[in-house]
Amino acid sequence: MKVEALFYEKFKDRVHCFLCPHNCVIEEGGFGKCNVRIHERGKLFTINYGEITSGALEPIEKKPLHYFKPHSYIFSVGSFGCNFTCDFCQNYTISQFRAKSEFISKKDLMETAVKLKNNIGIAFTYNEPAIWYEYVYDCARLLKEKKPHLKVVLVTNGYINEEPLDKLLHYIDAMNIDLKSFNDRYYKNLCGGSLKPVLKTIEKAAGVCHVEITTLLVSEKNDDLKEVESISKFLSSIDNNIPLHLSRYFPRYKFKNPPTDINFMKEAEAVGRKYLNRVVLGNIY
Ligand code: SF4
């Protein structure tokens, strides 16, 4: 469903979107980098409001969140679109393409979450929730107003500007944030983004809700112990109890490099543990 977007302003005959750090300036008829925001006659619209491409009741550990309501299940939903273009994206069919979707109103989504047995809440995941903002915000707010016992979780790349993040954080209980690398060139060349805004999101979110971090260690790209050390040091400077998930890469989308070496994964875990109390290896078995 197409609805008017939040966080934009008209700028001569163009619009300036300031939802995420791309800060796109968009010509009439054009889309922003995320491919879900379009400029039409002086207004910015989002086209993925309420559009669900996948939904499932899943273990919270799959998000991955290992230290937030362990052994529980959460209703997980996603749409399409992303503000990154990672060459190794594990969900590229919905992040990089407009996948088939079904509209579900915020009320229906909440009612589904309430009806599901053993469900602790809603996780916005699979594609990037930051650029699904209007729907995520509306649903999170409704859930917290009507069913405050239910939890709201975001699984995100953290690439969002401060003002929208602050507004949304009021309604968020937990986040898993990707910290893909500690190298700005990696973000630029492989993901089409930049490092600093992600670090800012982590710092801000960690002060407000439960936060866990995921780093995908991609063979021959960031399978570097120095980089793992930089990430771990940064997280420990915020709080050494922040869990770090070091996730093993497998070839996907445009990337054909071999899977990350298991021995390297174990060495990376040992480096992480020098600075952090909770380091978890993912995609190992
Ligand atoms: S949300 Fe989309 S349109 Fe807006 S700045 Fe980010 S990439 Fe550009």
Side-chain angles (χ1 to χ4, degrees):
M1 184 178 165
K2 193 158 78 178
V3 301
E4 191 173 355
L6 295 169
F7 303 107
Y8 81 92
E9 58 196 7
K10 204 164 177 291
F11 172 69
K12 295 182 184 165
D13 54 350
R14 293 177 282 178
V15 295
H16 170 204
C17 174
F18 51 95
L19 173 58
C20 90
H22 285 311
N23 289 306
C24 299
V25 175
I26 311 168
E27 309 267 350
E28 167 66 33
F31 279 92
K33 282 193 175 168
C34 56
N35 273 323
V36 295
R37 285 165 186 263
I38 185 170
H39 172 190
E40 284 179 359
R41 291 182 294 280
K43 287 186 173 175
L44 186 67
F45 293 92
T46 176
I47 61 165
N48 62 357
Y49 188 95
E51 297 296 334
I52 309 277
T53 55
S54 19
L57 186 65
E58 291 191 319
I60 193 89
E61 285 78 7
K62 233 183 137 181
K63 301 302 99 198
L65 289 173
H66 279 225
Y67 297 91
F68 178 78
K69 307 275 168 204
H71 313 301
S72 64
Y73 284 78
I74 190 156
F75 181 36
S76 303
V77 291
S79 185
F80 55 83
C82 189
N83 49 359
F84 278 179
T85 50
C86 304
D87 288 346
F88 44 77
C89 181
Q90 309 286 301
N91 278 342
Y92 69 96
T93 53
I94 57 169
S95 71
Q96 304 302 315
F97 301 96
R98 201 172 302 174
K100 199 165 166 265
S101 59
E102 186 188 332
F103 177 76
I104 300 182
S105 71
K106 60 182 179 185
K107 196 164 160 272
D108 286 349
L109 193 80
M110 181 181 74
E111 280 169 7
T112 307
V114 169
K115 271 186 214 149
L116 284 169
K117 274 196 184 141
N118 301 322
N119 175 32
I120 64 158
I122 300 180
F124 296 94
T125 176
Y126 306 135
N127 78 313
E128 177 47 51
I131 54 100
W132 201 19
Y133 189 91
E134 292 75 6
Y135 185 67
V136 171
Y137 176 81
D138 285 354
C139 292
R141 193 173 160 180
L142 184 70
L143 207 68
K144 286 295 164 194
E145 282 169 5
K146 304 278 184 204
K147 306 285 171 194
H149 64 286
L150 289 179
K151 306 296 177 201
V152 181
V153 165
L154 298 183
V155 181
T156 174
N157 62 21
Y159 208 59
I160 181 169
N161 280 335
E162 285 190 69
E163 189 187 340
L165 176 65
D166 286 342
K167 190 174 154 91
L168 185 58
L169 273 175
H170 289 295
Y171 306 106
I172 304 302
D173 297 289
M175 289 166 87
N176 184 293
I177 306 172
D178 268 356
L179 179 51
K180 293 174 188 288
S181 164
F182 213 67
N183 182 332
D184 196 52
R185 247 178 308 132
Y186 182 99
Y187 265 94
K188 282 207 166 67
N189 296 341
L190 291 178
C191 309
S194 56
L195 170 65
K196 251 194 186 159
V198 180
L199 301 182
K200 251 192 195 161
T201 296
I202 293 171
E203 281 170 338
K204 185 157 266 201
V208 177
C209 66
H210 177 87
V211 165
E212 301 194 18
I213 304 296
T214 297
T215 300
L216 181 71
L217 294 170
V218 180
S219 39
E220 297 162 26
K221 289 294 172 190
N222 67 347
D223 54 347
D224 176 347
L225 294 178
K226 280 201 180 123
E227 180 141 1
V228 175
E229 183 159 35
S230 303
I231 287 172
S232 309
K233 266 189 190 170
F234 165 72
L235 295 176
S236 73
S237 74
I238 304 171
D239 180 349
N240 60 4
N241 278 321
I242 293 179
L244 172 62
H245 298 259
L246 295 171
S247 192
R248 189 182 185 210
Y249 147 91
F250 285 91
R252 197 93 170 118
Y253 194 30
K254 297 177 183 170
F255 244 63
K256 307 291 176 234
N257 293 9
T260 322
D261 180 69
I262 289 272
N263 290 326
F264 172 78
M265 295 297 298
K266 288 177 184 161
E267 285 166 19
E269 181 187 17
V271 169
R273 284 191 186 279
K274 283 203 255 169
Y275 301 92
L276 297 167
N277 296 327
R278 298 155 161 183
V279 181
V280 183
L281 293 185
N283 280 349
I284 285 292
Y285 303 108

